[in-house]
Amino acid sequence: AQSVSQHNHHVILSEAASLELGCNYSYGGTVNLFWYVQYPGQHLQLLLKYFSGDPLVKGIKGFEAEFIKSKFSFNLRKPSVQWSDTAEYFCAVSEVRFGAGTRLTVKP
Amino acid sequence: NAGVTQTPKFQVLKTGQSMTLQCAQDMNHEYMSWYRQDPGMGLRLIHYSVGAGITDQGEVPNGYNVSRSTTEDFPLRLLSAAPSQTSVYFCASSSSGQGVETQYFGPGTRLLVL
């Protein structure tokens, strides 16, 4: 069965710090990978997705993610976070299996 | 387009009561799904539908029923509410489902079962 692991439960950063949120999945076949963001009080929004092709995927708001097949990973990155990035981030495999989420708090 | 809409936004139930969470989308999407979101557990799929008249179980279907009589609507029924069903419920839709297309999420229904 597919599973998704997000390594960090809660990450606290200062503005301008770099961000990397880990996501590992267990599934041997072809997968479609997604990162969603949920801002406080709002519903989930798609940040980026990977189906095939270039393993470095760029999404909205300066986020990117790299698919490393050999490591079964799809980590989310952002070079310089802003206070407005404070949210919960979910990694998903094929949109039916979500990770537990990582809460990001960015201190001004 | 209104996208995916859910009603109610908040609901308090007593154990044993039944209720229906409404979900509607105006994007003519074939695939619709229901998730529950619990702290530390992410989103878990309850039921999904690949088109009108077709529904199937997800990861945590017990205690919930669904039906899909039209493309637009996908209500979720709690037959006899239990405190374990206290959660935030999200409805989502996409044009084809099964991880092929982006899902659009509704604003959620926060349910408290006493």
Side-chain angles (χ1 to χ4, degrees):
Chain A
Q2 298 176 1
S3 68
V4 181
S5 298
Q6 292 185 239
H7 313 300
N8 311 103
H9 177 64
H10 191 187
V11 173
I12 302 173
L13 296 173
S14 297
E15 276 194 315
S18 63
L19 170 72
E20 181 161 4
L21 301 182
C23 173
N24 285 89
Y25 63 92
S26 64
Y27 184 63
T30 301
V31 292
N32 299 318
L33 298 161
F34 302 82
W35 275 99
Y36 283 87
V37 60
Q38 186 177 28
Y39 297 103
Q42 297 187 26
H43 55 90
L44 277 79
Q45 303 170 42
L46 181 70
L47 267 182
L48 48 81
K49 59 187 177 184
Y50 172 80
F51 288 168
S52 63
D54 188 344
L56 185 61
V57 180
K58 295 193 182 297
I60 61 171
K61 304 186 180 185
F63 286 91
E64 64 179 30
E66 185 175 12
F67 170 56
I68 303 179
K69 187 175 182 179
S70 61
K71 295 185 178 180
F72 296 91
S73 70
F74 190 56
N75 292 355
L76 181 71
R77 300 195 293 247
K78 185 170 184 178
S80 176
V81 295
Q82 300 171 315
W83 176 80
S84 58
D85 293 324
T86 293
E88 192 151 14
Y89 294 81
F90 294 92
C91 181
V93 173
S94 300
E95 294 194 304
V96 296
R97 187 72 64 180
F98 283 75
T102 297
R103 182 185 301 175
L104 172 65
T105 299
V106 180
K107 298 185 292 185
Chain B
N1 286 353
V4 180
T5 58
Q6 291 183 237
T7 55
K9 291 186 178 180
F10 304 99
Q11 184 70 49
V12 179
L13 292 178
K14 295 181 180 178
T15 296
Q17 287 184 315
S18 63
M19 79 160 295
T20 299
L21 280 64
Q22 301 291 343
C23 174
Q25 52 91 10
D26 62 358
M27 296 173 281
N28 202 32
H29 284 169
E30 290 294 328
Y31 183 84
M32 296 185 74
S33 54
W34 276 102
Y35 295 87
R36 58 177 291 173
Q37 182 183 24
D38 302 292
M41 303 188 76
L43 277 76
R44 292 181 291 169
L45 183 65
I46 304 171
H47 285 285
Y48 66 95
S49 168
V50 298
I54 307 170
T55 64
D56 207 346
Q57 297 181 348
E59 182 184 357
V60 288
N62 292 341
Y64 307 96
N65 272 2
V66 291
S67 60
R68 185 91 180 274
S69 56
T70 66
T71 299
E72 294 77 21
D73 301 299
F74 190 44
L76 178 72
R77 296 184 187 83
L78 279 70
L79 308 173
S80 177
S84 60
Q85 294 178 303
T86 293
S87 186
V88 181
Y89 292 84
F90 289 98
C91 179
S93 74
S94 68
S95 56
S96 61
Q98 297 303 304
V100 176
E101 297 294 337
T102 301
Q103 286 199 95
Y104 295 86
F105 285 83
T109 294
R110 190 175 296 272
L111 176 67
L112 173 63
V113 182
L114 302 174

